Amino acid sequence: MRRIGIDVGGTNTDAVLIEDGKVTGAVKAPTTEDVTSGILDALKRLGATGLLQGKKIDAVMIGTTHFINAVVQRKHLSKVAALRLGMPSGASLPPFCDWPGDLATLVRGGVWMVEGGHEYDGRPFMPLDREAVTNAAREMKAKGLKAVAISSVFSPLDPSHEREAAEIVAAENPGAIITCSSDLGRIGLLERENAGLLNAALADLARDTIAAFDKAIRDSKIDAPLFITQNDGTVAEAHQAMKLPVYSFASGATNSMRGAAYLSGLDDAMVADVGGTTTDIGQLKNGFPREANSVVQVGGVRTLFRMPDLMSFGLGGGSHVALDPVKIGPLSVGYRLLTDGIAFGGGQLTTTDVAVAAGILPLGDKAKVAHLDKDTVAKVFDEAKRMVEVTVDMMKTEAGDVPLLAVGGGAFLIPDTLEGVSRVVRVEHGDCANAVGAAIAQVSGECDQIFRDMTRNDALDAAAAVASDRAVAAGADRSTLKTIETEDMPIAYLPGNSLRVRVRVVGDVASG
Amino acid sequence: MTDLRELSIDDIESLSVGAWILGTGGGGSSYLGLLNMRALYAEGYRVSLMQPADLADDDWVAAVSNMGAPLVGQERLTDSRTIARAVDLMERHTGYRFRGIMALEIGGGNSIQPLMAAAHLGRPVIDADMMGRAYPEAQMTSVAVGDLKPYPLSTVDCRGLESVVEKVPTWKWMERVSRKICVEYGSIASTCKAPRTGREVKDWGIHGTTTKAIEIGHAVREAQRRHEDPIAAILSVEPGKVLYRGKVMDVERRATEGFLRGRTRFDGIDEWKSTSMELAFQNEWIVAWQDGEPIAMSPDLICVLDSVTGEAVGTETIRYGQRVTVIALPCPPVFMTPKGLQHVGPRAFNYDIEFKSVFA
């Protein structure tokens, strides 16, 4: 197996070549405004190593923050037609009702609410009003709306109304790009619908961006299928990822954690990814980041879908340092580190300066930080240690010491011994762990449903079967499937021993 | 002249934070109710608060609450008109014209229900409820302790289903029958409880609880804004007591008889460093043990708060590693009587413990 992994970060675009499980090449190029020239540049640099010469590449996996940036910066978003099936419930809280005003104004193309949806136990809530859906589809067409988001009450349990409505809209409105909320989300209509609306708003951008990625690869004379990495540390084939851009929102941090697991061989550990401004801490379980089971805000919009459970705090290689009393961050000099840091002739004391004074980093001019005595240096490192310890402890789900993988450019800030940590592990190529994570990504499937009148084991098995089928549909090789996450929660007030079960499985990309 | 105070949208934002704290771990999220109120206020609707003392003895008051599974509520989004329809059905059924609308429970999402009904019906909200917090069952109210009439009760759902429970012999029967109706509706229903006279609200209502929730929420939000200690802010407006500061070490949950039951274990920090605490819950926090000794119990309010934000931590969302502060708030005197303790004391939740108040 020979794969190229690319991570398009805020500052750098990293590319690695992995051959037979080993990193044989790793390069960095500056990220560009249009994203693709940075990718082209990185691929050119990788090609310049001679490593790609005459070799067949099996796959290229790209992780990008492009889609989440579009939401945060309110750029390149399409107008969306929102169709909700569930009247007469929730009529006073229509789609977009909890969006920030500026974003709603930009994205809201029209709202249609019609009868339909299901009950928690699978009974229909109201029959689907097909005529109203048809009329809505015609109005969308008249308004020139091409991006459509459909949501339905309890669609994670029964997506049939969303599917049927999608068929009607597609028939009336050929060329419409349709997002069904059941393809994205979990229980929680407003949050799932929000994820669908964001997804629809990004559909045009995703199509153009991924097509440009594809072209960059072809232009680099690489003949290999393209995959895009997802929030949960897995990949989707390019044509599938195009339909679900919100699934690629948080792939950077996830790829980092996956890469760290791969490079270290540890599947169960904490990971601290120390960048220039912040440290992200997450927990690996079976080699994958644990997921947040709660609302995640994206650009001010509440959503609920697969995202890694991460805690981010202001400790990085460029963090401002105050000495009296000792305080680190949250401000950072960011990419101006090599001009603004004291060791580099600047005027802002940073964590990097302290590390230079301590003799840890062979950078800059050590004489410029000679005024930082041993005691001061120790105090700053103690503060960094305390910050990491508290967050590691908050990320744990049970008592006991765990290993900690320290990756990223600022990993020097993590001391070798920490309370609650059995050992600190550092790995070669740890500074491109994210590109490595992209290169080794697998395909996943998930199930989140309520099961009634079943034993717990039967419910878990039923959920695993649904998740497995979805993974295979997404391109996984069935013989390699493995369950990586199982969670069940009894539900109050529902009859019949209702149990909500969430299962996630992963497998290798099926060849051919 | 009746003294009415118009609530600002900021009051309602505070109410939602304070009510979640008075929910003592349960009561459900008030987020959707708050969204509804923001939308109503944006459309120009307003709600006023009326003091129980301003009611005439022969006025009629509607007591409302939403009933059912919070999970269903996350899909079938709370619609402000549904709760107003429950009140309307009760008026049609009894022929009364309600002077005002009050909350059954001030804890959690049900604190906002009367406001939504009040906005649509153009009546004031009465500054009182029947629990002073959240409790899981119908007989756990001040009016049940007072042996007031438990019927009739109206239930509606958003599709237009309407039922009235005309008569039941006891509050426990009301709990059983109304819950059956709720399940048939799809496990969520808006309800108008047995109508109360002005006299009954004055004698048995728990007064000032809407104001109290607003004050608590306001204190927390102000402290957050100023980066001050929100727990201290709560204790500056309420005569409460810090029971414990620590970290969640273990959570055990099980659903039995339709309730979420379980236990949470904490490890102490600060002055509680070498002590442990365990909290038992049945939807809400019920009993707290420190080093095996029961130190706080229902009906005193046990509130678990995020040590940093001061916001309430619910029994459904608490998880390992959270830094929390456990505080106790005094309970309404009606529940401290022998009759009150029969309804909501530790034995009502199957704990064979003699009630002793934190504030005794």
Side-chain angles (χ1 to χ4, degrees), chain A residues 218-485:
Chain A
R218 304 300 146 230
D219 289 351
S220 304
K221 305 274 182 294
I222 296 167
D223 177 25
L226 170 65
F227 292 84
I228 305 296
T229 68
Q230 315 237 293
N231 305 330
D232 66 352
T234 61
V235 286
E237 292 172 289
H239 74 269
Q240 205 182 3
M242 242 179 229
K243 292 181 206 149
L244 300 172
V246 296
Y247 269 4
S248 306
F249 270 171
S251 63
T254 306
N255 288 340
S256 236
M257 292 178 65
R258 290 275 298 145
Y262 187 79
L263 293 167
S264 66
L266 288 174
D267 275 351
D268 292 282
M270 284 287 167
V271 179
D273 183 7
V274 192
T277 306
T278 58
T279 296
D280 287 330
I281 291 191
Q283 188 173 26
L284 284 167
K285 289 262 178 200
N286 296 314
F288 281 83
R290 188 177 74 223
E291 295 197 348
N293 199 8
S294 57
V295 168
V296 181
Q297 299 253 4
V298 179
V301 180
R302 284 163 59 99
T303 61
L304 189 64
F305 56 99
R306 304 186 309 202
M307 289 280 253
D309 193 5
L310 292 176
M311 287 190 84
S312 202
F313 57 99
L315 174 69
S319 294
H320 290 191
V321 174
L323 294 177
D324 190 24
V326 169
K327 190 174 179 293
I328 302 177
L331 291 177
S332 164
V333 294
Y335 64 88
R336 297 184 310 273
L337 176 65
L338 299 185
T339 53
D340 290 9
I342 291 187
F344 309 97
Q348 177 60 51
L349 183 63
T350 68
T351 49
T352 295
D353 296 322
V354 178
V356 171
I360 296 175
L361 288 181
L363 294 171
D365 181 357
K366 207 176 165 187
K368 290 205 166 77
V369 288
H371 63 287
L372 299 171
D373 59 54
K374 218 172 161 184
D375 193 40
T376 306
V377 167
K379 274 188 194 151
V380 175
F381 274 91
D382 276 353
E383 173 61 9
K385 177 171 188 267
R386 188 196 62 79
M387 291 166 85
V388 177
E389 280 174 349
V390 168
T391 312
V392 165
D393 196 42
M394 286 171 88
M395 283 307 292
K396 284 185 189 175
T397 51
E398 53 201 40
D401 289 356
V402 288
L404 176 79
L405 290 166
V407 297
F412 62 84
L413 287 166
I414 311 252
D416 284 327
T417 54
L418 289 160
E419 200 180 317
V421 168
S422 55
R423 64 199 162 104
V424 173
V425 181
R426 298 172 207 274
V427 290
E428 198 189 349
H429 300 300
D431 58 337
C432 3
N434 41 17
V436 173
I440 53 117
Q442 295 170 295
V443 179
S444 82
E446 192 192 50
C447 170
D448 179 9
Q449 285 185 17
I450 297 170
F451 295 88
R452 301 171 63 222
D453 299 316
M454 276 179 141
T455 65
R456 182 169 171 272
N457 281 339
D458 287 348
L460 295 182
D461 287 348
V466 172
S468 298
D469 288 346
R470 288 183 180 166
V472 171
D477 174 354
R478 192 179 283 277
S479 67
T480 62
L481 290 181
K482 186 172 128 190
T483 299
I484 55 158
E485 214 174 287

Side-chain angles (χ1 to χ4, degrees), chain B residues 22-33:
Chain B
L22 291 173
T24 61
S29 163
S30 52
Y31 179 67
L32 295 175

Side-chain angles (χ1 to χ4, degrees), chain B residues 298-335:
Chain B
S298 172
D300 280 347
L301 281 68
I302 301 170
C303 310
V304 179
L305 310 171
D306 182 296
S307 290
V308 176
T309 65
E311 288 180 30
V313 177
T315 57
E316 291 204 47
T317 55
I318 193 162
R319 65 167 202 179
Y320 176 92
Q322 280 175 321
R323 265 51 174 187
V324 298
T325 301
V326 185
I327 66 168
L329 297 176
C331 91
V334 59
F335 293 124

Side-chain angles (χ1 to χ4, degrees), chain A residues 92 119 154 192 393 396, chain B residues 31 36 75-76 247 320:
Chain A
S92 64
E119 304 249 21
F154 275 117
R192 185 175 69 249
D393 196 42
K396 284 185 189 175
Chain B
Y31 179 67
N36 268 296
E75 285 288 322
R76 250 197 238 182
K247 178 190 151 180
Y320 176 92

